[in-house]
């Protein structure tokens, strides 16, 4: 277990080299061990803030200027996304919290403040007051996705909480809490598992049905969705102080821990309900869950122990220190049914770094409230 606390020391030499050869790009995954570049192919892709966030975390930890330079370069590249309406969706938090907002938190940069508030205004504008949900995805103008919400959006709510703090305008946080209340009611099952997609009537707000989404199927427990719910409700609790969000986070965490006992000897599966003979994993779900569990671990040691178990497995079995490979974590999955299952994903690496810094109490408050 003590080896976890040495993981950052082992990772840093590799990250220093990877960052040098990653100037000017925004990665999503690796191809033959090297990062791709969504800045050229998909500037509006939902994961485009995570590499910048990882760079800010490492800059804060090491003081190495290259990390700051890379983070700011990504922030500026994302200005193009702000000018593409069809590319603005519910994942604005994932893109601008780890870039513009944390930049503003660190040094009060005015342009970064503008970027963060533009993203927050857009996210708030996606709120459907009839169903009290933030619409997830866009469509081609036919309204086919107007009633769609997903559990992932719990992680984007901190953008709205932050916007209320800096503008002293409560409407942002009011939208965030109404969405969180909706998610508690419709997305969290009695056993603490979460659905991925909820379909509402966009006119009446009536909840129509759930959808299996990126998990094994309808009614199953897609593990990254469980991790988004776990960490997301922790974040709403931290921002609002409301006990109901903390209790929901603990309910989801308890289910996550219980489900892991059924998959002993391997990492987190892609879906807790996938067939027993399917050994495909999602390291990103493990890293995200570990971050949420570490926050819960501040009030109950059992959650910290669960987080340490996840991180121990990742660092001993799924962490690449090979300096010829750009990624850190292997065995990730974007979806259970994807033909690219068992890939590398930039957000898995981001949340691993965040979790390891949390262990030392040196993480930047990118998704959590500003400290002090």
């Amino acid at each position: 277990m003590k080896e976890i606390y040495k993981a950052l020391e082992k990772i840093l030499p590799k990250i220093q080299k990877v960052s040098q050869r990653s100037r000017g790009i925004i990665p999503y995954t690796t191809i033959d061990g090297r990062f791709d570049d969504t800045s050229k192919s998909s500037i509006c892709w939902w994961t485009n803030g995570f590499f910048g966030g990882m760079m800010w975390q490492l800059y804060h930890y090491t003081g190495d200027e290259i990390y700051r330079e890379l983070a700011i370069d990504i922030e500026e590249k994302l200005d193009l996304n702000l000018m593409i309406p069809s590319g603005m969706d519910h994942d604005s938090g994932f893109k601008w919290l780890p870039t513009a907002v944390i930049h503003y938190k660190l040094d009060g940069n005015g342009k970064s403040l503008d970027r963060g508030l533009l993203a927050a205004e857009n996210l708030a504008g996606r709120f459907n007051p009839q169903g009290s949900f933030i619409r997830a995805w866009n469509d081609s103008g036919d309204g086919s996705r107007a009633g769609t919400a997903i559990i992932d959006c719990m992680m984007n709510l901190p953008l709205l909480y932050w916007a209320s703090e800096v503008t002293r305008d409560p409407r942002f946080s009011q939208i965030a809490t109404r969405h969180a209340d909706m998610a508690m009611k419709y997305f969290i099952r009695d056993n603490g598992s979460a659905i991925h997609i909820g379909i509402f009537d966009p006119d009446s707000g009536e909840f129509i049905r759930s959808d299996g989404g990126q998990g094994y199927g309808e009614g199953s427990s897609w593990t990254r969705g469980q991790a988004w719910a776990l960490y997301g409700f922790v974040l709403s609790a931290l921002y609002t102080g409301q006990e109901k969000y903390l209790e929901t986070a603990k309910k989801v965490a308890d289910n996550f821990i219980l489900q892991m006992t059924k998959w002993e000897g391997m990492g987190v599966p892609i879906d807790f309900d996938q067939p027993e003979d399917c050994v495909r994993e999602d390291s990103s779900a493990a890293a995200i869950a570990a971050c949420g569990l570490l926050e819960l671990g501040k009030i109950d040691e059992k959650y910290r122990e669960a987080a340490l178990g996840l991180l121990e497995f990742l660092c001993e079995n799924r962490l690449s220190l090979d300096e010829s490979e750009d990624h850190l974590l292997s065995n990730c999955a974007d979806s259970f049914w994807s033909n690219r299952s068992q890939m590398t994903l930039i957000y898995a690496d981001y949340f691993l770094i965040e979790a390891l810094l949390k262990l030392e109490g040196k993480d930047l408050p990118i998704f959590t409230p500003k400290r002090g």
Side-chain angles (χ1 to χ4, degrees):
M1 190 72 74
K2 292 181 180 179
E3 291 301 310
I4 302 174
Y5 296 90
K6 299 178 182 178
L8 271 175
E9 297 175 22
K10 296 179 180 179
I11 289 171
L12 281 176
K14 169 176 175 169
I15 291 295
Q16 289 169 351
K17 293 186 177 181
V18 170
S19 62
Q20 289 287 351
R21 62 178 181 246
S22 299
R23 291 179 182 272
I25 72 169
I26 305 179
Y28 169 61
T29 185
T30 54
I31 300 171
D32 297 326
R34 294 299 176 90
F35 283 142
D36 62 353
D37 183 10
T38 61
S39 71
K40 293 182 175 62
S41 61
S42 307
I43 193 60
C44 301
W45 190 235
W46 72 274
T47 66
N48 282 355
F50 286 109
F51 191 61
M54 189 162 71
M55 295 299 98
W56 277 121
Q57 293 282 9
L58 293 169
Y59 172 71
H60 179 69
Y61 185 68
T62 68
D64 192 332
E65 191 67 20
I66 186 176
Y67 299 132
R68 182 176 183 274
E69 292 172 4
L70 290 174
I72 292 175
D73 179 64
I74 290 172
E75 176 185 344
E76 292 174 349
K77 279 183 168 61
L78 288 177
D79 283 353
L80 178 59
N81 188 172
L82 283 170
M83 299 306 296
I84 303 175
S86 63
M88 298 295 293
D89 54 29
H90 75 115
D91 281 322
S92 288
F94 281 143
K95 285 182 272 191
W96 282 282
L97 282 168
T99 54
V101 173
I102 193 59
H103 188 186
Y104 171 74
K105 287 181 181 180
L106 288 173
D107 65 17
N109 185 281
K111 289 185 178 179
S112 298
L113 173 63
D114 291 342
R115 291 171 176 125
L117 289 178
L118 279 171
E121 289 280 9
N122 188 275
L123 184 60
R126 302 183 70 80
F127 182 69
N128 182 314
Q130 288 295 93
S132 294
F133 66 88
I134 294 172
R135 173 180 172 170
W137 301 303
N138 300 320
D139 51 44
S140 59
D142 59 4
S144 59
R145 289 181 162 182
T148 302
I150 65 175
I151 193 61
D152 316 39
C153 195
M154 288 301 302
M155 291 292 298
N156 290 292
L157 299 186
L159 180 64
L160 299 177
Y161 294 126
W162 166 80
S164 273
E165 290 175 356
V166 296
T167 63
R168 301 194 178 186
D169 185 340
R171 65 193 172 94
F172 295 105
S173 59
Q174 288 167 357
I175 288 171
T177 54
R178 287 185 65 182
H179 181 92
D181 290 345
M182 176 282 301
M184 278 178 34
K185 180 177 181 180
Y186 293 112
F187 279 73
I188 306 303
R189 303 183 182 110
D190 290 342
N191 68 355
S193 65
I195 69 171
H196 180 202
I197 300 174
I199 309 296
F200 296 80
D201 182 315
D203 292 313
S204 69
E206 178 188 1
F207 181 78
I208 299 173
R209 60 181 174 84
S210 64
D211 189 283
Q214 290 164 252
Y216 179 64
E218 171 57 26
S220 70
S221 297
W222 177 51
T223 56
R224 180 149 49 92
Q226 315 309 300
W228 291 144
L230 194 169
Y231 198 7
F233 277 106
V234 168
L235 294 171
S236 280
L238 290 173
Y239 275 98
T240 67
Q242 293 195 41
E243 187 71 18
K244 61 184 177 181
Y245 299 141
L246 178 61
E247 290 305 310
T248 302
K250 290 162 66 175
K251 180 178 179 180
V252 176
D254 288 341
N255 178 266
F256 197 100
I257 294 169
L258 175 63
Q259 292 295 327
M260 280 305 300
T261 62
K262 302 176 183 178
W263 297 90
E264 190 172 355
M266 64 174 278
V268 174
I270 303 174
D271 193 300
F272 283 133
D273 295 309
Q274 68 191 42
E276 292 183 6
D277 60 354
C278 177
V279 294
R280 289 182 293 145
E281 306 168 5
D282 186 4
S283 295
S284 74
I288 297 160
C291 288
L293 289 166
L294 285 172
E295 292 294 335
L296 288 178
K298 296 174 182 178
I299 58 175
D300 191 326
E301 183 64 22
K302 75 174 184 179
Y303 298 117
R304 181 178 175 83
E305 289 301 314
L308 291 177
L310 292 174
L311 292 173
E312 181 179 29
F313 180 88
L314 291 177
C315 290
E316 291 184 358
N317 300 281
R318 301 294 177 252
L319 176 62
S320 170
L321 298 177
D322 184 344
E323 294 180 359
S324 70
E325 297 179 331
D326 289 347
H327 65 275
L328 295 177
L329 290 178
S330 63
N331 290 52
C332 302
D334 56 356
S335 167
F336 183 85
W337 296 105
S338 171
N339 58 11
R340 295 190 297 170
S341 181
Q342 304 308 264
M343 59 194 297
T344 64
L345 293 166
I346 193 61
Y347 50 89
D349 293 355
Y350 168 80
F351 284 107
L352 174 67
I353 294 294
E354 183 184 295
L356 293 175
L357 286 169
K358 282 183 187 293
L359 289 179
E360 298 187 21
K362 296 181 179 179
D363 58 305
L364 272 174
I366 288 181
F367 290 95
T368 53
K370 185 175 181 180
R371 304 181 185 99

